[in-house]
Each structure stands twice: as structure tokens, then as C-alpha cells.
Amino acid sequence: EAGVVQSPRYKIIEKKQPVAFWCNPISGHNTLYWYLQNLGQGPELLIRYENEEAVDDSQLPKDRFSAERLKGVDSTLKIQPAELGDSAVYLCASSPIIGGPGTGELFFGEGSRLTVL
Amino acid sequence: AQSVTQPDIHITVSEGASLELRCNYSYGATPYLFWYVQSPGQGLQLLLKYFSGDTLVQGIKGFEAEFKRSQSSFNLRKPSVHWSDAAEYFCAVGNSGGSNYKLTFGKGTLLTVNP
């Protein structure tokens, strides 16, 4: 079974440019998460989707960040315009429905490392 | 809101020595508890998890962890460390909020293994 797939793995852009990250979750996982991981820190939740609905986006900086999960499967996270402080790793994760097998466990992709110059 | 504290930012051990990584959590009810490991440039891999029942849980790669409710702790242990265990380790706590489920991570402990 394929794991969580993210692309691109690495992206280098200049400040004020836009950037987008793509995530395809594990088949059958209805919950999808985007986490931000700064260097030397633990992951911090940006947004959580249940199917196509964003159920927790309280930590997403909405002035420059946006996300979508149009058909309840893959998702895109966008930053426009990027700032120097956005340099970090953007992790996507998915999980099965709460109460079912694997409850509470998140399965992570390898991340997309962004460098803003 | 739940939180996780990993008191040790960096730990160095010799290969073959025993290991204990500390984790303390804050949550009002019985939490879901996890340990993840992250190698450089990689995503997070689950080592083990606790939901309920036996407070000593076994994970992959010879790791185990013990849930101690009275101490709000979930420390990770391994009796004999291998050089390949060098990585960053994250403790995480999940609430039991069903549709409001949230997983919160600690800041991590970087493990260095000396030959």
C-alpha cells in the first residue's frame, strides 16, 4: 500500500514569489493534515480536513496561506507571497476515521522543504 | 488544550548503552500517546502508541514506552542502542475528542550515538 505522497520534496524560491505543495493521502483515509515544521522544532498543525471540509484552520495564516482539498482526496497548500520566515518543512499526514482501526495515528509523508531567499 | 514537554533537547549515548527519552504531557483525560522518529530529510515514522490497557507498550526497532498516569509521563526506552537509532524523536499527545481530534507534538529530542 502506498504511503502519503508529497511533492515537491524541495523548493527554493525568492521572497514574494508564490509556491504550492501537493499531497496525496493514503487511500481510504478521510482525514488530512498539513503541519509546519521549523528547524529543530516539532510539527505544528496548520490545517485539518475531514473529507473536503476544513474542520480546523485556526493556525493557518490566512493572509498568505491557503489550502484546498476539492474532492476529499489530494490537497494543495499554497503560500502567496512567500516570506523569508516561511522557510521550513511542510508535512502532510493522513489518518483513518476516529474510532476505527488505527485511531489517532497519523501517517506522514516525507515533507516538502521550502527555502525562501 | 493539551501540551507535551520533552525536557532533553539533545542526548548522546554510546552504542550498546541503554536509552531513556523523557516525555511529559498535559491533558485532562486519558490521552492517546505516541512516539515518532524522524531521520534527517525524512518524514515521521511511528515507533509505538498507547490508547488504553497495558501501560507498557512495545514498538518497532526494540523500543518500548511506559504510560504513568500519576506522573503524566510516557518515557521511551531501549535497552541497547544501535548506531542506526541516531535521529530525532518526537513525543505526541492526542485528545480523545472524536471529530475534534488533535495531535500535539513536543519539540523533539535529538539522539546522537557514539561508536
Side-chain angles (χ1 to χ4, degrees):
Chain A
E1 180 180 316
V4 176
V5 179
Q6 291 188 246
S7 68
R9 288 292 314 278
Y10 304 93
K11 188 73 175 179
I12 301 174
I13 61 172
E14 295 189 346
K15 63 181 181 181
K16 300 186 180 180
Q17 294 300 304
V19 64
F21 306 111
W22 175 82
C23 173
N24 186 254
I26 292 173
S27 177
H29 284 189
N30 67 319
T31 308
L32 184 146
Y33 310 75
W34 284 102
Y35 277 84
L36 166 69
Q37 186 177 22
N38 286 305
L39 185 65
Q41 301 294 314
E44 299 172 16
L45 181 68
L46 288 172
I47 189 168
R48 175 169 68 97
Y49 282 93
E50 295 285 346
N51 299 306
E52 64 274 8
E53 181 183 1
V55 295
D56 184 355
D57 63 355
S58 57
Q59 301 304 310
L60 188 72
K62 297 181 183 62
D63 56 337
R64 297 183 300 106
F65 286 67
S66 65
E68 60 184 13
R69 193 185 184 198
L70 293 176
K71 296 185 178 179
V73 180
D74 55 352
S75 175
T76 302
L77 177 70
K78 299 178 181 177
I79 308 174
Q80 182 171 8
E83 297 179 352
L84 295 176
D86 296 331
S87 294
V89 176
Y90 293 84
L91 293 166
C92 180
S94 67
S95 68
I97 192 168
I98 295 295
T103 286
E105 177 183 347
L106 271 60
F107 296 78
F108 284 85
E110 293 187 309
S112 294
R113 180 178 296 275
L114 173 65
T115 301
V116 182
L117 302 177
Chain B
Q2 70 250 43
S3 65
V4 179
T5 301
Q6 294 181 246
D8 303 305
I9 296 174
H10 187 192
I11 285 183
T12 300
V13 300
S14 298
E15 191 168 16
S18 63
L19 172 69
E20 181 169 32
L21 302 183
R22 295 183 290 164
C23 172
N24 293 97
Y25 70 90
S26 174
Y27 182 61
T30 300
Y32 298 156
L33 293 163
F34 305 83
W35 276 98
Y36 283 85
V37 61
Q38 186 178 37
S39 298
Q42 302 298 310
L44 280 75
Q45 180 185 21
L46 181 71
L47 284 176
L48 47 78
K49 58 189 176 185
Y50 171 80
F51 291 152
S52 63
D54 192 346
T55 57
L56 183 64
V57 294
Q58 303 296 321
I60 63 171
K61 304 183 180 184
F63 286 92
E64 67 176 26
E66 186 171 10
F67 170 53
K68 294 185 176 180
R69 183 188 305 274
S70 61
Q71 299 177 19
S72 297
S73 69
F74 189 58
N75 295 348
L76 182 71
R77 300 193 295 250
K78 186 170 185 178
S80 179
V81 170
H82 187 263
W83 64 266
S84 60
D85 294 325
E88 187 138 29
Y89 292 80
F90 293 96
C91 181
V93 58
N95 59 6
S96 45
S99 60
N100 293 320
Y101 182 72
K102 185 171 184 178
L103 188 64
T104 301
F105 287 84
K107 294 184 182 298
T109 297
L110 180 63
L111 175 65
T112 297
V113 180
N114 287 333

